[in-house]
Amino acid sequence: MRHETAENDPLDEVVTWRDGHVVALDQTVLPHEIRVLHITSVDDLVDAITRLAIRGAPALGVAGALGVALAVRQAQRQGWDESRLAAEVERVADARPTAVNLRREVRAAAAVIRRGPAAGEAAAVAVRDATIGVSRRISDRGARYLSEAAGTGPLTIHTHCNTGTLACLGWGSALGVIRALHEQGDLRQVIVDETRPLLQGARLTCWELGQLGIEHFLICDGAGPFLISQGLADAVVVGADRIAANGDVANKIGTYALALAARQAGIPFVVAAPESTIDDATASGKQIPIERRPDDEVTRVLGVAAAPEGTRALNYAFDVTPAELVTAIVTEDRLIHPGREPDTTALVS
Ligand code: MRU
């Protein structure tokens, strides 16, 4: 794998296909370094996904589709037979377990490559283009819904993790909603959780908001529920890695505490996500696989030891918010109120 600094707008390089290989922005070194990865093998793609160089559910879906095209190229170069190719494709699908988009897009792309490598590459690139379009539709629908649901006047939105261009391409999901609110003049400011342990909020969301000129404040994760109880936010808006058929939502660890606080404070808790994140094959949150990551992501902070040598950690990367705490799920196609019939009067087309 080769890496270089970005010549183009780095946000155009989040994850894409160029000259027969995958190009991706290495999100582990943002915001202090812009590093573009040139990924030519399944090993390197799996590594990039596993260490979160490419991350966020929709971006993982794009990486999965492109990963199948990459595997086919590598199979041609190295003379893999069909069973080896299938095994390598499966490694891409398995690189992270919680975001359903990854496995879903790998499966879809794997079905298309039966029609030949060119068709597979074209289909993978189409997934990327569609993901960009979908993010804009979620953003606009979510902003219109929130300006109705969260009251009058410019809103203060509390968010968690990173759900912008880096996670979704295009405008993002939750952060896209925030951007659309800003564009329509309905946003006061954003409260951003730092998102321990890998600091997607501090490193990535603050970087994106800064580039957009959107006023924001960074807080420690533990401060979120208290600040919500003090009336600082008008709504909580987050993304999702997988939404079960009953409306339970898996998202970055720390989301559940915000949902409880939002319910207690009587403010909307809104999930913005593409339809492709809804997993009808998973009945409830209990069946969602929750990724457990290495202890040293918690015991060290940005690579520096924080806990005594030998400390063990429980590093669950995601939690599940029960459907009953979710005020609305906004997708590109609809507004869903989990736990009750869709409120079609509030449906914004
Ligand atoms: O571990 P990450 O950084 O991939 O987790 C990302 C999140 O939890 C996002 O909130 C989620 O993928 C939604 S992105 C629109």
Side-chain angles (χ1 to χ4, degrees):
M1 177 168 47
R2 188 162 62 78
H3 63 80
E4 59 192 25
T5 53
E7 280 171 22
N8 308 321
D9 179 347
L11 289 174
D12 289 337
E13 314 270 49
V14 170
V15 54
T16 191
W17 182 257
R18 193 173 305 139
D19 303 330
H21 67 278
V22 176
V23 173
L25 189 60
D26 185 345
Q27 299 189 33
T28 65
V29 294
L30 284 172
H32 304 297
E33 188 186 335
I34 306 293
R35 184 187 294 169
V36 177
L37 306 173
H38 291 267
I39 299 168
T40 53
S41 70
V42 169
D43 274 356
D44 286 346
L45 182 66
V46 168
D47 175 64
I49 292 172
T50 310
R51 65 187 181 84
L52 273 55
I54 305 168
R55 51 152 294 284
L60 287 171
V62 174
L66 298 178
V68 174
L70 189 74
V72 171
R73 287 261 177 165
Q74 194 173 357
Q76 287 171 332
R77 276 200 316 274
Q78 299 186 353
W80 294 346
D81 62 16
E82 279 214 10
S83 73
R84 172 76 191 271
L85 175 60
E88 296 290 331
V89 162
E90 202 54 26
R91 286 177 60 219
V92 177
D94 284 344
R96 292 191 76 195
T98 304
V100 69
N101 305 62
L102 176 60
R103 177 162 288 274
R104 185 190 294 278
E105 297 302 351
V106 167
R107 287 269 176 277
V112 172
I113 52 166
R114 292 185 216 294
R115 303 206 302 264
E121 283 177 25
V125 171
V127 168
R128 182 180 185 278
D129 293 344
T131 301
I132 293 171
V134 158
S135 85
R136 186 57 202 267
R137 284 162 56 202
I138 297 169
S139 306
D140 290 341
R141 183 186 300 279
R144 278 180 283 157
Y145 167 68
L146 269 164
S147 16
E148 286 173 16
T152 52
L155 302 175
T156 296
I157 304 294
H158 193 126
T159 194
H160 192 64
C161 198
N162 172 266
T163 58
T165 308
L166 292 167
C168 309
L169 293 71
W171 275 28
S173 57
L175 210 61
V177 172
I178 288 168
R179 181 170 175 178
L181 278 171
H182 173 69
E183 296 256 321
Q184 68 189 41
D186 286 334
L187 183 73
R188 185 189 307 281
Q189 62 201 9
V190 187
I191 297 177
V192 182
D193 285 348
E194 59 177 351
T195 318
R196 278 278 292 148
L198 297 179
L199 301 174
Q200 290 93 329
R203 295 187 301 105
L204 308 178
T205 299
C206 290
W207 184 63
E208 287 198 47
L209 288 170
Q211 304 229 331
L212 293 168
I214 295 178
E215 185 169 14
H216 58 282
F217 294 89
L218 178 64
I219 62 165
C220 301
D221 291 346
F226 174 67
L227 296 185
I228 289 169
S229 79
Q230 297 303 296
L232 264 71
D234 298 300
V236 176
V237 187
V238 296
D241 285 84
R242 188 184 301 225
I243 300 171
N246 72 341
D248 290 349
V249 174
N251 192 49
K252 179 55 56 191
I253 193 84
T255 301
Y256 178 34
L258 298 179
L260 288 166
R263 172 57 55 92
Q264 177 81 8
I267 63 170
F269 176 85
V270 177
V271 175
E275 290 283 334
S276 56
T277 298
I278 300 175
D279 180 14
D280 284 329
T282 298
S284 80
K286 286 196 177 64
Q287 286 89 43
I288 297 177
I290 300 296
E291 180 181 12
R292 187 168 168 191
R293 294 186 56 85
D295 291 17
D296 66 0
E297 290 181 352
V298 176
T299 59
R300 303 176 76 82
V301 178
L302 294 176
V304 178
E309 186 72 33
T311 301
R312 293 163 65 201
L314 293 172
N315 187 10
Y316 290 94
F318 301 96
D319 60 27
V320 176
T321 298
E324 69 222 49
L325 294 179
V326 179
T327 313
I329 297 169
V330 182
T331 78
E332 66 274 29
D333 290 336
R334 52 190 172 142
L335 191 63
I336 305 162
H337 297 281
R340 62 181 169 92
E341 288 298 302
D343 178 358
T344 45
T345 56
L347 198 78
V348 197
S349 59

